[in-house]
């Protein structure tokens, strides 16, 4: 093993790790007044890490614990860019709340580091370590508003259920290790190819998928999501639904596709089941919600179901569709949460859907952006969302999963209702009292970028779809 | 021969100490017996040639966990006699569960437990000749497994940051020692020299 080559492969992660520790030191010495500086520092570090992610050649490091390929590159870039935007959102949010603390950018940075390690993990041990690094920071971030009972409740619920899911995941991993004698993805695949899938291995696979589905908040492991999303601070929820979901999904794909290609029939059943339930629950349970953060939680559950359609197909096209779906979902959600964060009235954050009433008259631009994003999430042409859905549905049809694709189509029709309701409230209801002030130039730019992606994607779809294809092909070599 | 004697002595003390943990009336005695049990278990590991595990057992369990227990027992005002008072009525259920576990253990040992050959190969990575297992572990922990080791370190760092973020509160009105201010005090800014005339008193 050449340690220098290994460290060079790990360069983007090292930048983030050492940078986060340096930021921690600066914060400890200079106190909370340095938070603004540290947030900017963290964004710069993420940009630097992103640059090196883009430049690094394919390689493996540390005896196959860590792997860099097209797939990890794509996922890491999505994770890093949404994390950087969340840092900016969080800085703005906590400044408005008057609770700025310097640990915030540090924790987001360390969590992002965990996500990058998860995405690159090619071994169940490194997968678990990356996952824990990410989750532990997320639990703390959920409870970051420690004087708010709801925030602490969110953090505690997330922690307890997260620990439970880690237990299931580890149990699955230990069974897989016990029945194959290795924790490496490629090694597991070899053993399965040589000796077939035993009943013990299937048990391990089921527990593994259950543990991972927990992190995705896919039904039936979704119970935590609405409560946590409602209670946690808004920019942190944006972080949960974008960077964390993308990383967990990318890890999920790699941990299923690489070790278990010859157990396709065994895991496909589970994924189909989880996918259908997620799409259904996401569509029906969101209808009755009045709190917009809870609504976004159910929307997130539903979208995870659509993305899982691609995994159920188990083909290059399926994975390509999923990656594209995740990128679309991350960009759209960032925009939506910028809008939710701007919902402040009399110095307090407000979160019910009726607070948006008549937004088209008081804040026409924000209303237009939010409407475009909601319609895109609903999957209305010609916005970006429809292309994402078409890709996963086509992949499912190509893999002869007709029933699954049909159910997905029905669920997305039902789901369109609650997205349209928000548009209706904004444009046709009697105006409520206007929000305190404009969202500010920085947040406005993020929202504009997110909306521009959604609206203009139809004109230049090529680059992103091609990038997703390259990334997906890296897994099937 | 000597090993066998040592094994039986340590095992006997271990079982006796473990029994006394449950049976002792005074909770402080219970914890002390627990420490004794840990020490004897560590001695058994040494007999097996696993001195690294023995050290870990002493450092982690005796050093940290047992001391923590002792703190809890002595600092918190828990009436252990009251807690234990209802224990008699659970004897039957306890015996049933214990018997079931013992039965399972017998089944596991009596029937041939199938282990895949791959797992056996992985387990067969023997200690290199000429070094103790602590050295052998140290060699791979900081080379082959340095990645896992460092990431685990980061996880612990996050845990520490999290604990501080969620619990540390700056209390207002606390008078802290500022070494800088103490050292930078000079006679000029801390003393007034007043020339008092006799018979007139201090008018300042």
């Amino acid at each position: 093993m050449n340690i220098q080559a290994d460290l060079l492969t790990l360069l983007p992660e090292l930048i983030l790790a050492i940078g986060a520790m340096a930021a921690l030191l600066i914060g400890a010495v200079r106190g909370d007044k340095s938070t603004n500086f540290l947030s900017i520092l963290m964004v710069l570090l993420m940009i630097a890490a992103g640059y090196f992610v883009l430049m690094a050649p394919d390689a493996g490091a540390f005896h196959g614990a860590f792997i860099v390929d097209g797939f990890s590159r794509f996922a890491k870039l999505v994770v890093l860019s949404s994390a950087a935007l969340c840092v900016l959102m969080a800085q703005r949010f906590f400044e408005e709340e008057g609770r700025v603390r310097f640990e915030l950018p540090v924790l987001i940075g360390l969590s992002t580091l965990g996500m990058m390690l998860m995405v690159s993990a090619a071994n169940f041990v490194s997968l678990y370590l990356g996952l824990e690094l990410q989750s532990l920071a997320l639990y703390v971030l959920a409870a970051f508003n420690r004087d708010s009972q709801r925030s602490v409740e969110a953090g505690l619920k997330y922690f307890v259920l997260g620990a439970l899911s880690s237990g299931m995941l580890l149990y699955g991993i230990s069974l897989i290790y016990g029945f194959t004698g290795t924790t490496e993805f490629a090694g597991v695949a070899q053993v399965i190819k040589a000796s077939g899938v035993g009943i013990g291995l299937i048990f391990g696979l089921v527990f593994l998928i259950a543990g991972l589905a927990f992190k995705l908040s896919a039904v039936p492991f979704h119970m935590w999501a609405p409560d946590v999303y409602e209670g946690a601070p808004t920019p942190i929820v944006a972080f949960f639904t974008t960077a964390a979901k993308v990383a967990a999904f990318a890890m999920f794909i790699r941990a299923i596709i690489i070790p278990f290609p010859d157990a396709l029939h065994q895991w496909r059943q589970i994924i189909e089941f989880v996918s259908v339930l997620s799409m259904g629950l996401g569509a029906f349970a969101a209808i009755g919600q009045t709190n917009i953060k809870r609504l976004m939680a159910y929307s997130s559950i539903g979208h995870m179901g659509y993305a899982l359609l691609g995994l159920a197909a188990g083909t290059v096209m399926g994975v390509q569709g999923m990656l594209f779906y995740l990128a679309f979902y991350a960009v759209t959600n960032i925009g939506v949460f910028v809008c939710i964060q701007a919902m402040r009235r009399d110095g307090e954050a407000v979160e019910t859907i009726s607070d948006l009433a008549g937004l088209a008259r008081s804040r026409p631009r924000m209303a237009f952006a939010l409407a475009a994003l909601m319609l895109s999430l609903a999957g209305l042409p010609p916005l970006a969302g429809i292309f994402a859905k078409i890709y996963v549905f086509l992949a499912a049809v190509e893999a002869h999963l007709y029933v699954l694709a049909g159910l997905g189509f029905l669920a997305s029709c039902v789901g369109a209702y609650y997205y349209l309701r928000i548009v209706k409230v904004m444009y046709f209801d009697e105006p409520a009292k206007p929000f305190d002030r404009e969202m500010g130039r920085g947040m406005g730019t993020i929202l504009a970028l997110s909306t521009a992606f959604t609206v203009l994607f139809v004109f230049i779809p090529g680059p992103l779809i091609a990038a997703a294809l390259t990334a997906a092909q890296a897994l099937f070599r | 021969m000597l090993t066998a004697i040592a094994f039986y002595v340590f095992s006997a003390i271990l079982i006796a100490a473990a029994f006394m943990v449950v049976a002792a009336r005074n909770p402080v005695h219970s914890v002390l017996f627990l420490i004794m049990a840990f020490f004897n278990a560590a001695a058994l590991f040494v007999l097996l040639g696993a001195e690294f595990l023995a050290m870990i057992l002493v450092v982690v369990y005796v050093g940290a966990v047992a001391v923590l227990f002792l703190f809890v027992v002595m600092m918190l005002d828990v009436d252990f006699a009251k807690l234990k008072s209802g224990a008699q009525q659970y004897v039957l259920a306890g015996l049933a569960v214990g018997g079931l576990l013992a039965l399972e253990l017998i089944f596991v040992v009596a029937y041939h437990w199938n282990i895949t050959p791959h797992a056996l190969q992985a387990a067969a990575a023997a200690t290199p000749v000429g070094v103790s297992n602590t050295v052998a572990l140290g060699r791979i922990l900081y080379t082959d497994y340095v990645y896992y080791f460092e990431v685990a370190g980061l996880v612990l760092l996050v845990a520490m940051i999290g604990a501080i973020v969620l619990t540390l509160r700056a209390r207002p009105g606390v008078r802290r020692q500022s070494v800088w201010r103490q050292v930078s005090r000079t006679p000029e800014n801390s003393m007034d020299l007043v020339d008092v005339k006799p018979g007139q008193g201090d008018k300042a």
Side-chain angles (χ1 to χ4, degrees):
Chain A
M1 183 177 77
N2 183 349
I3 189 82
Q4 267 132 12
D6 282 358
L7 288 179
L8 207 61
T9 312
L10 211 64
L11 186 64
E13 285 76 13
L14 284 178
I15 291 175
L16 212 52
I18 294 170
M21 284 187 257
L24 185 64
L25 269 183
I26 297 172
V29 174
R30 300 198 33 96
D32 292 336
K33 58 182 179 294
S34 61
T35 311
N36 198 12
F37 166 72
L38 292 182
S39 292
I40 294 168
L41 177 72
M42 197 51 71
V43 171
L44 292 178
L45 283 169
M46 285 170 181
I47 293 172
Y51 174 77
F52 285 107
V53 165
L54 203 59
M55 290 300 129
D58 289 4
F62 299 107
H63 300 286
F66 184 89
I67 193 162
V68 175
D69 57 11
F71 181 76
S72 76
R73 210 170 286 137
F74 183 90
K76 276 181 192 174
L77 285 176
V78 178
V79 165
L80 278 170
S81 41
S82 36
L85 295 179
C86 289
V87 171
L88 295 175
M89 284 170 69
Q91 172 67 23
R92 166 91 182 172
F93 178 83
F94 284 97
E95 258 173 20
E96 275 179 339
E97 292 269 305
R99 298 171 204 271
V100 176
R101 308 191 59 195
F102 77 87
E103 288 94 344
L104 186 80
V106 175
L107 280 173
I108 296 184
L110 285 170
S111 180
T112 311
L113 172 68
M115 293 171 194
M116 292 171 73
L117 298 180
M118 274 156 67
V119 167
S120 272
N123 180 320
F124 283 115
V125 181
S126 53
L127 174 144
Y128 178 70
L129 283 170
L131 184 66
E132 278 306 295
L133 181 58
Q134 176 239 22
S135 310
L136 206 56
L138 289 186
Y139 305 145
V140 180
L141 285 171
F144 207 79
N145 250 349
R146 60 184 186 185
D147 295 318
S148 142
Q149 203 183 346
R150 281 165 64 212
S151 178
V152 173
E153 183 195 334
L156 191 65
K157 266 188 187 158
Y158 197 17
F159 174 66
V160 172
L161 292 174
L164 183 72
S165 77
S166 289
M168 286 200 280
L169 183 71
L170 279 180
Y171 189 46
I173 292 175
S174 67
L175 281 173
I176 291 168
Y177 176 61
F179 281 93
T180 59
T182 173
T183 57
E184 281 185 22
F185 290 175
V188 172
Q190 274 174 12
V191 173
I192 292 177
K193 203 177 188 109
S195 53
V197 191
I199 186 83
L201 197 63
I202 293 179
F203 262 93
L205 186 60
V206 170
F207 276 102
L208 178 78
I209 293 178
L212 292 175
F214 222 105
K215 304 289 174 195
L216 293 179
S217 75
V219 183
F221 307 103
H222 64 284
M223 306 77 76
W224 58 272
D227 291 346
V228 171
Y229 287 11
E230 189 187 352
T234 308
I236 303 303
V237 181
F239 190 53
F240 287 171
T241 55
T242 56
K245 283 273 163 84
V246 174
F249 228 119
M251 172 184 77
F252 195 7
I253 299 172
R254 198 195 287 278
I256 296 293
I257 297 279
I258 303 279
F260 304 106
D262 293 308
L264 177 72
H265 292 291
Q266 281 82 358
W267 57 256
R268 183 183 264 171
Q269 289 175 12
I270 312 173
I271 302 285
E272 281 176 0
F273 177 73
V274 170
S275 168
V276 167
L277 285 185
S278 301
M279 291 188 294
L281 187 108
F284 284 101
I287 291 175
Q289 301 304 323
T290 53
N291 182 306
I292 191 157
K293 278 159 85 181
R294 273 189 99 80
L295 181 118
M296 289 311 289
Y298 283 107
S299 150
S300 167
I301 292 170
H303 282 286
M304 290 302 115
Y306 297 123
L308 279 171
L309 274 178
L311 183 60
T315 55
V316 176
M317 191 178 171
V319 173
Q320 178 198 7
M322 280 174 92
L323 287 173
F324 174 40
Y325 204 103
L326 290 175
F328 139 75
Y329 185 68
V331 175
T332 314
N333 249 24
I334 288 275
V336 172
F337 277 95
V338 165
C339 290
I340 296 178
Q341 191 172 324
M343 292 168 61
R344 300 183 72 84
R345 193 168 283 154
D346 304 326
E348 295 274 326
V350 289
E351 299 174 344
T352 57
I353 294 172
S354 55
D355 286 316
L356 285 167
L359 192 69
R361 264 170 274 179
S362 55
R363 295 261 186 285
R365 277 180 298 173
M366 178 174 156
F368 171 75
L370 191 54
L373 296 171
M374 284 295 163
L375 294 178
S376 174
L377 282 175
L380 253 64
L383 302 169
I386 187 71
F387 296 98
K389 282 211 173 81
I390 284 176
Y391 260 88
V392 285
F393 285 157
L394 276 185
V397 168
E398 208 168 63
H400 307 293
L401 304 172
Y402 303 113
V403 179
L404 200 59
L407 287 172
F409 180 72
L410 286 180
S412 74
C413 291
V414 175
Y417 164 74
Y418 58 82
Y419 296 118
L420 285 172
R421 183 167 61 123
I422 293 179
V423 178
K424 176 236 162 202
V425 166
M426 286 193 299
Y427 276 85
F428 301 114
D429 279 13
E430 278 306 304
K433 209 176 140 202
F435 294 135
D436 280 356
R437 53 192 166 119
E438 296 286 335
M439 57 178 62
R441 195 174 294 158
M443 294 300 109
T445 313
I446 298 177
L447 181 58
L449 284 176
S450 164
T451 315
F453 170 85
T454 309
V455 177
L456 301 180
F457 178 80
V458 60
F459 297 113
I460 30 170
L464 186 60
I465 289 176
L469 180 64
T470 323
Q473 278 165 343
L475 276 194
F476 288 91
R477 239 179 297 155
Chain B
M1 180 64 194
L2 200 63
T3 325
I5 294 173
F7 172 76
Y8 284 115
V9 170
F10 286 132
S11 309
I13 299 177
L14 173 60
I15 292 170
F19 179 74
M20 286 308 289
V21 173
V22 189
R25 283 195 171 278
N26 188 333
V28 178
H29 293 175
S30 285
V31 178
L32 291 175
F33 275 116
L34 191 66
I35 295 176
M36 189 164 160
F38 285 146
F39 265 116
N40 281 286
L44 290 180
F45 276 129
V46 172
L47 286 182
L48 281 175
E51 69 272 7
F52 182 71
L53 267 184
M55 278 192 297
I56 290 292
L57 198 68
V58 171
V59 170
V60 174
Y61 280 84
V62 178
V65 178
V67 171
L68 197 71
F69 268 143
L70 211 54
F71 259 103
V72 170
V73 166
M74 293 171 83
M75 306 281 278
L76 298 183
D77 187 23
V78 184
D79 191 351
F80 283 89
K82 206 172 162 190
L83 278 181
K84 277 185 183 172
S85 62
Q88 295 288 337
Q89 53 186 314
Y90 298 114
V91 164
L92 261 178
L95 277 180
V97 173
L100 211 64
L101 284 177
L103 213 64
E104 283 181 350
L105 204 64
I106 291 167
F107 275 124
V108 166
V109 177
Y111 286 92
H112 288 292
W113 188 247
N114 283 324
I115 302 171
T116 66
H118 303 285
L120 281 180
Q121 274 167 22
T127 312
V129 187
V131 293
S132 67
N133 58 33
T134 312
V135 176
L137 273 174
R139 276 187 190 164
I140 56 164
L141 195 59
Y142 296 103
T143 53
D144 291 4
Y145 295 107
V146 66
Y147 174 76
Y148 307 113
F149 189 76
E150 293 297 331
V151 177
L154 277 175
V155 174
L156 292 180
L157 175 70
V158 169
M160 198 165 77
I161 300 173
I164 293 173
V165 167
L166 295 181
T167 57
L168 182 72
R169 284 172 195 276
R171 277 190 294 166
V174 179
R175 291 165 174 273
R176 286 215 170 74
Q177 181 186 23
S178 165
V179 178
W180 167 250
R181 276 180 61 193
Q182 287 177 342
V183 173
S184 59
R185 251 167 94 102
T186 58
E188 284 78 45
N189 60 25
S190 50
M191 267 198 291
D192 276 333
L193 288 179
V194 186
D195 192 12
V196 182
K197 295 255 163 40
Q200 291 186 349
D202 180 12
K203 286 186 184 153

